[in-house]
Amino acid sequence: MAGLGKLVKQAEKMKRGIEALQTQLDAKELEVTSGGGAVKIKINGSGKFLALALDAEFLKEDPKLVADTVLAAVQDAAKQAKDYNESEMQKITGAFQMPGMF
């Protein structure tokens, strides 16, 4: 049963690490630009969109181009936040190994 106690302690440590990481992810801001800077998006490490800025001159372009560029920027921002989140989470959970599972 000594192994079980160690496992419980590891799980508690990982839980505390994940909780601390969630706070850090919420505070981390990523800025993504598209269209040569015509579209700027801020998103946090948890994937919450914080800001969207569009260049006034860019809005005079063809509506389809504007829509496609904004959509591409949103998709890129979401992917960057997801990748960042997963990378940081791996640092916490990667060291946690359950005996017999991996």
Side-chain angles (χ1 to χ4, degrees), residues 65-82:
L65 173 68
V66 172
D68 289 347
T69 304
V70 171
L71 180 59
V74 168
Q75 290 170 335
D76 187 30
K79 182 180 181 328
Q80 284 189 35
K82 180 179 182 266

Side-chain angles (χ1 to χ4, degrees), residues 58-70:
F58 176 64
L59 292 175
K60 296 176 184 176
E61 297 291 333
D62 176 57
K64 181 169 177 13
L65 173 68
V66 172
D68 289 347
T69 304
V70 171

